[in-house]
Amino acid sequence: MLANPVMTASGTFGYGTEYSHLFDIQKLGAIVCKGTTLEPRDGNPQPRLAETACGLLNSIGLQNIGVEALIREKAPIWASWRVPVIVNIAGETIDNYAKLASRLDGVAGISAIEVNISCPNIKAGGAEFGANPKSAAEVTAVVKAATSLPILVKLTPNTSDIAEVAMAVAEAGADAISLINTLKGMAIDITQRRPLLGNITGGLSGPAIKPVALYMVYEVAGVVGLPIIGCGGITTASDAIEFIMAGASAIQVGTASFTSPRAPLDVLQGIEQFMKQEGINNITDLIGAARR
Ligand code: SIN
C-alpha cells in the first residue's frame, strides 16, 4: 500500500539518488528506477534524444549499471529510505527476466519489480514480448514464479489490442499493470537527409501522448480488476486526476521531470489541493470516477 498515488516513471528519475538533493523525494508514493538488465549496458549510438512538438523521442537502449551493481551500490541506500523503490527489469530473453526477478528477491531496499515488456529501443526482447498476449503472459508467469516481490507489468502501446495483453498478464499473475510506455516514432534531419536518432527509431513520450495513454488506461481499467498505474505525458495535477478518474489507482510522472525535476512533488501537492477543494478525504473516491 502506497502512502500516496504519485510515482516516478522508469528512465526519467535515474536511481532516485540523483534527485534527492533537489527536493524531498521521500514524500513521493514510490520511485521506479531505470530499466535494469542482467549485465551492464552502454545503450544505443548517439544521438539518443530528439525534441518534438509537445514530446520527446528517446532511443537510450537501456543504458544501465546492471543488476549486480544495482544490488551492491543502490539497494543499500534505498533500504534507508521511507519511499519504496520499484526496480524496472528488462530482458532479451524470457530466461533473463526470470534470473533478474530471482536475483532481486529478498534484497533489502527493493519493494517491488516492474516488468518492462515495452521498451521499443532494443534489438531483442523488450516490447517484442509486450506486443502479443502470449509472450506477455509467459514473461509475467516466469517473473511471478521467481520472486515473492509484488510485480507490476509495464505495457506497450505498440500493440494491436492492449486490453487483450492486459488480460493475459493479469491471468498470468501480475499484481498491478502500468501503462503506457512510449510510442514508437522517428525524426529526420533534413539537412543530413538522415534519421536523426542513432538507432533510427525511438519512443515518444511527453504531453503529445497523453490522450492515447489516457484512453488506454480507460480501456484496460474496463477489463482488468487489478490496480492500474497510469503513465504517459502526465505533467500537471489535473493530468494525473484525469488518469485516476479513468481508473488508475496511481500514476507515474516521467518526461515532465526533465523540464522540472520537482514535477512529481508538484503533481502530488496539486492532487492534495484538488481533493481539499472538492471535499474528498480518500483518493479511492476519485478512482474510476469518470467511468460511473
Ligand atoms: C530506453 O532505455 O531505451 C527506454 C526504456 C524504455 O522504453 O523502457
Side-chain angles (χ1 to χ4, degrees), residues 34 44 58-63 88 116 118-121 181-182:
K34 176 66 190 160
N44 286 336
N58 91 79
S59 69
I60 305 301
L62 290 172
Q63 178 184 358
N88 180 291
N116 183 346
S118 44
C119 174
N121 301 328
N181 205 322
T182 54

Side-chain angles (χ1 to χ4, degrees), residues 10-267:
S10 174
T12 62
F13 211 71
Y15 295 94
T17 46
E18 299 88 336
Y19 287 76
S20 55
H21 64 290
L22 295 173
F23 70 94
D24 187 1
I25 62 169
Q26 307 300 327
K27 289 188 172 157
L28 299 176
I31 286 169
V32 186
C33 79
K34 176 66 190 160
T36 299
T37 50
L38 277 178
E39 302 299 331
R41 285 174 63 99
D42 291 335
N44 286 336
Q46 301 281 357
R48 295 168 169 184
L49 292 176
E51 266 192 77
T52 65
C54 296
L56 180 69
L57 274 169
N58 91 79
S59 69
I60 305 301
L62 290 172
Q63 178 184 358
N64 78 100
I65 60 176
V67 72
E68 293 306 327
L70 177 137
I71 291 171
R72 207 172 47 241
E73 296 161 20
K74 307 297 177 188
I77 302 173
W78 298 337
S80 68
W81 289 359
R82 188 174 76 239
V83 59
V85 177
I86 299 170
V87 175
N88 180 291
I89 60 168
E92 292 184 356
T93 64
I94 292 186
D95 186 55
N96 282 179
Y97 286 95
K99 287 199 171 103
L100 281 159
S102 116
R103 189 66 189 93
L104 294 169
D105 195 41
V107 174
I110 298 173
S111 296
I113 291 176
E114 183 175 67
V115 187
N116 183 346
I117 49 169
S118 44
C119 174
N121 301 328
I122 51 177
K123 286 195 172 53
E128 232 175 52
F129 290 122
N132 82 77
K134 190 167 171 283
S135 51
E138 269 168 27
V139 175
T140 306
V142 298
V143 171
K144 186 70 183 171
T147 183
S148 53
L149 288 167
I151 64 166
L152 291 57
V153 180
K154 187 165 185 180
L155 302 188
T156 175
N158 304 305
T159 179
S160 55
D161 189 344
I162 198 165
E164 265 190 36
V165 178
M167 287 189 286
V169 303
E171 176 84 3
D175 296 296
I177 296 177
S178 37
L179 70 150
I180 58 173
N181 205 322
T182 54
L183 279 154
K184 199 163 183 172
M186 72 180 294
I188 288 177
D189 179 335
I190 57 168
T191 56
Q192 301 292 322
R193 303 181 182 198
R194 299 260 326 129
L196 205 147
L197 295 169
N199 194 45
I200 302 175
T201 60
L204 181 66
S205 62
I209 72 164
K210 195 197 93 180
V212 177
L214 187 63
Y215 150 70
M216 289 187 166
V217 164
Y218 189 90
E219 184 87 350
V220 168
V223 295
V224 159
L226 296 176
I228 289 169
I229 296 118
C231 179
I234 297 175
T235 307
T236 64
S238 73
D239 293 337
I241 293 162
E242 283 189 72
F243 278 79
I244 292 166
M245 289 184 171
S249 306
I251 58 91
Q252 296 179 348
V253 177
T255 304
S257 293
F258 294 137
T259 39
S260 170
R262 52 168 289 141
L265 186 60
D266 290 341
V267 166

